[in-house]
Amino acid sequence: MAGGKIRKEKPKAPSNNYQGGISFHKSKGQHILKNPLLVDSIVQKAGIKSTDVILEIGPGTGNLTKKLLEAGKEVIAVELDSRMVLELQRRFQGTPYSNRLKVIQGDVLKTELPRFDICVANIPYQISSPLTFKLLFHPTSFRCAVIMYQREFAMRLVAQPGDNLYCRLSVNTQLYARVSHLLKVGKNNFRPPPKVDSSVVRIEPRKPQPQVNKKEWDGFLRVCFIRKNKTLGAIFRQKSVVLMLEKNFKTLQAVLASLNGVTGEAAVMDVGDQSMGMEDDDNEMEDDDEDMEMDEGQGGGGEFKEKVMNVLKEGGFEEKRSSKLSQQEFLYLLSLFNKSGIHFS
């Protein structure tokens, strides 16, 4: 422009969101591990045997996949993005690993997973909770899973009673598995870097699996963790909680009465510790521990509320808080409720 200064445009720095000509989408949780020392460390801590079939979820461009192929017998990689699938096939085509790599294209949450010995994965963080429980409830047993999570989610998985992050997710996961924190991973180890740090966690399914009704257990914990720092007495006095439990109680009475050929008020019976027999619903196990609103109104059926409170008093739980209770205490309290005919599903 006449009489003005000409600005020299600075050359744009190359984007870090590419590898091998492929762009990564943060919105899809695509953060590729770029630190080879970290990849080696994860594989080492996984304790892979030469005879292992390894499940990898979200392999991306194959940086971790290559090390897994070197360590195990076979890698089954589940990848949603068709571009990544092509990159994996291109990368290992014509190599000694090509016949030991099986790639499944699809959504891992909707995919029927094959048998495997160990799972090693850097997963999209938005599927952390449903994927964790899909693995834990996998019909065939596996030795362990070593998974990269968002750091806060990882710390919730391993949290113990009294920890700030101790929540419904902590109790649920630790019922079905032994969980341990392996290493913290800074965000600069990824391309593109996520907004938060990550952690690698080891999950070992308990054998045998605990004999609990999953839906009943999850429904019970949802109530207990409405407000984890409130006393259980305060939570179970709430009108919405009392009404929900009373409805379940009456429904179960009616079902048992119909099975016995008895109707109406003649259905007075001891329901014991029988289960509701509902189908399991794994997808409801989220990492939000305060997803039910606290109803400050007191009320509900007076006699039934007294029945609920008597259970808490019997076990010495009325003044206790969920944030401090151990897994064994939760199991014991649930058994007391069930023996009184009170159910949560």
Side-chain angles (χ1 to χ4, degrees):
M1 195 172 173
K5 293 183 179 179
I6 299 176
R7 290 184 179 179
K8 292 184 178 180
E9 292 188 4
K10 294 182 180 179
K12 291 183 179 180
S15 171
N16 289 325
N17 298 359
Y18 291 83
Q19 179 175 318
I22 295 179
S23 61
F24 304 127
H25 303 302
K26 288 185 178 182
S27 61
K28 296 180 180 178
Q30 293 178 342
H31 300 280
I32 308 301
L33 275 172
K34 67 177 184 177
N35 184 341
L37 295 178
L38 178 60
V39 172
D40 289 340
S41 180
I42 292 172
V43 173
Q44 181 183 12
K45 290 180 181 295
I48 298 170
K49 300 176 183 178
S50 60
T51 55
D52 279 343
V53 175
I54 307 161
L55 174 68
E56 186 184 11
I57 299 161
T61 57
N63 294 344
L64 178 58
T65 312
K66 183 175 184 297
K67 294 295 181 180
L68 296 177
L69 285 165
E70 292 174 358
K73 176 184 177 182
E74 180 186 1
V75 172
I76 301 169
V78 183
E79 175 59 60
L80 179 62
D81 192 331
S82 59
R83 301 171 307 146
M84 302 296 179
V85 171
L86 291 172
E87 173 63 17
L88 279 174
Q89 294 170 340
R90 183 199 64 77
R91 181 169 184 172
F92 296 104
Q93 187 177 15
T95 71
Y97 305 124
S98 59
N99 62 345
R100 294 196 287 114
L101 172 64
K102 178 182 178 182
V103 182
I104 300 174
Q105 183 178 347
D107 183 342
V108 67
L109 298 179
K110 299 176 182 177
T111 299
E112 184 177 346
L113 299 176
R115 190 200 70 81
F116 60 94
D117 299 301
I118 185 170
C119 174
V120 183
N122 170 31
I123 65 171
Y125 294 155
Q126 58 263 41
I127 66 169
S128 295
S129 184
L131 176 61
T132 299
F133 286 99
K134 181 181 176 76
L135 291 175
L136 287 176
F137 300 147
H138 188 55
T140 59
S141 63
F142 61 96
R143 193 165 71 253
C144 74
V146 175
I147 300 178
M148 181 87 70
Y149 292 109
Q150 180 178 333
R151 179 161 176 78
E152 182 176 333
F153 185 91
M155 301 316 292
R156 287 184 178 216
L157 286 176
V158 303
Q160 297 298 307
D163 293 348
N164 287 336
L165 290 177
Y166 187 64
C167 62
R168 183 163 57 94
L169 175 69
S170 317
V171 183
N172 254 334
T173 308
Q174 292 171 34
L175 175 69
Y176 300 106
R178 287 177 290 273
V179 189
S180 56
H181 182 269
L182 296 182
L183 69 156
K184 181 179 178 181
V185 181
K187 52 191 174 185
N188 291 328
N189 289 286
F190 299 88
R191 179 188 297 114
K195 294 181 179 179
V196 294
D197 289 336
S198 305
S199 281
V200 178
V201 171
R202 182 183 182 91
I203 300 174
E204 298 179 58
R206 296 189 186 276
K207 298 175 184 177
Q209 283 283 293
Q211 297 301 304
V212 297
N213 181 308
K214 297 184 183 73
K215 195 174 181 87
E216 176 78 3
W217 170 250
D218 188 50
F220 167 65
L221 289 184
R222 283 178 183 272
V223 173
C224 291
F225 280 96
I226 289 173
R227 290 289 184 269
K228 67 180 182 181
N229 291 315
K230 290 276 190 180
T231 65
L232 290 171
I235 290 173
F236 280 90
R237 282 190 189 94
Q238 301 311 303
K239 182 177 180 180
S240 59
V241 174
V242 174
L243 290 176
M244 180 269 290
L245 295 178
E246 187 173 19
K247 181 181 178 181
N248 288 351
F249 180 77
K250 290 180 177 178
T251 300
L252 181 58
Q253 278 195 318
V255 170
L256 293 178
S258 66
L259 291 175
N260 289 325
V262 182
T263 60
E265 295 184 358
V268 179
M269 63 190 70
D270 177 13
V271 294
D273 59 351
Q274 299 180 55
S275 167
M276 290 290 286
M278 304 289 285
E279 292 185 3
D280 299 333
D281 184 357
D282 306 344
N283 293 330
E284 289 193 8
M285 296 185 177
E286 305 292 341
D287 57 327
D288 303 314
D289 47 320
E290 295 184 355
D291 55 356
M292 293 176 68
E293 288 299 322
M294 191 76 162
D295 178 2
E296 297 299 334
Q298 303 292 319
E303 290 184 11
F304 188 80
K305 183 164 74 170
E306 185 177 349
K307 180 182 182 72
V308 172
M309 298 313 297
N310 283 340
V311 172
L312 293 176
K313 291 173 183 176
E314 176 190 348
F317 287 99
E318 188 177 10
E319 296 302 318
K320 292 186 177 181
R321 292 166 167 80
S322 294
S323 60
K324 310 282 186 186
L325 290 187
S326 68
Q327 182 187 108
Q328 291 306 313
E329 288 175 305
F330 279 117
L331 286 168
Y332 176 55
L333 178 56
L334 178 59
S335 73
L336 292 180
F337 275 122
N338 287 168
K339 284 176 183 176
S340 296
I342 299 171
H343 292 266
F344 294 81
S345 63

